[in-house]
Amino acid sequence: MSTEPPGRPVRIPPLPPERWTPALRGLLAGSAQDGPGRVNLFGTLAHHPALAHAWLSLARVLTHEGTLSSRQRELVVLRTAHRRGGSFVFDRHRAVAADAGLDSREVAATAAPLAEHPWCAADLALLETSDALASGEPLPQPLWDRLAAGLRPDQLIELLILAGQCATMCATLGALHTPPDGGRPPSG
């Protein structure tokens, strides 16, 4: 994922949970179904409580109230994280992807050249869209037409926002050198 060497210094250490606002602690507790691996993410966002609440509210909509299937969402997240060098996000979403029905071969294939796996047409369109958006390329009309043939307008909008939100989190956590949970404990 990331091209930076391991052991790089954390630029803004995640705050330990006891220093989070009650609202942020409530958001973490309320999203327990999302599995482990979010303490350092939340601890990093805890430095800016208003922004943390806004971002986590968007993330909740995308992950729990969205119109894309769990499989579609995880394909986009994994491919975007791979393309953006977001090892924190990619590693965090491996288990989520398994729960969404992706097998280990498919998860691995999201980080490989697309031609190396026999993706169905719908999955391939999502992955190609993730590639284009992650690299800042415009979506070619034929790709858009393939997406629009299988997705409703609300799902198309969600797809674009999901890829952008994932790219933003990859850039943020990467620039801050936020460690995965267990990689380095939050410092107080």
Side-chain angles (χ1 to χ4, degrees):
M1 292 293 91
S2 176
T3 57
E4 294 193 43
R8 55 197 176 147
V10 176
R11 291 181 170 155
I12 299 178
L15 294 175
E18 59 271 11
R19 293 195 44 209
W20 301 354
T21 65
L24 186 57
R25 282 195 299 274
L27 282 171
L28 181 63
S31 65
Q33 72 271 20
D34 294 334
R38 296 166 298 116
V39 174
N40 282 349
L41 165 64
F42 277 51
T44 297
L45 295 173
H47 287 280
H48 194 316
L51 188 57
H53 187 270
W55 180 81
L56 292 167
S57 295
L58 173 60
R60 185 189 71 248
V61 169
L62 292 171
T63 58
H64 299 293
E65 301 167 22
T67 60
L68 295 172
S69 71
S70 297
R71 177 185 174 79
Q72 291 169 320
R73 180 188 67 240
E74 292 309 315
L75 284 171
V76 172
V77 168
L78 288 170
R79 186 64 179 186
T80 302
H82 163 68
R83 291 297 305 266
R84 296 302 305 242
S87 58
F88 186 110
V89 174
F90 190 92
D91 292 343
R92 162 90 180 86
H93 277 265
R94 285 178 185 269
V96 179
D99 291 343
L102 277 79
D103 64 39
S104 59
R105 267 185 16 251
E106 291 172 315
V107 170
T110 63
L114 295 178
E116 291 183 6
H117 184 79
W119 296 107
C120 73
D123 288 351
L124 187 59
L126 293 171
L127 296 164
E128 289 174 356
T129 299
S130 299
D131 283 354
L133 295 172
S135 65
E137 298 172 17
L139 289 180
Q141 191 62 44
L143 176 55
W144 180 260
D145 293 342
R146 287 174 31 225
L147 289 169
L151 298 174
R152 301 182 313 262
D154 59 330
Q155 292 174 312
L156 292 164
I157 292 167
E158 184 177 322
L159 166 63
L160 301 174
I161 292 173
L162 174 64
Q165 182 266 355
C166 180
T168 298
M169 194 49 49
C170 289
T172 301
L173 295 173
L176 295 175
H177 304 171
T178 301
D181 290 5
R184 191 175 296 169
S187 60

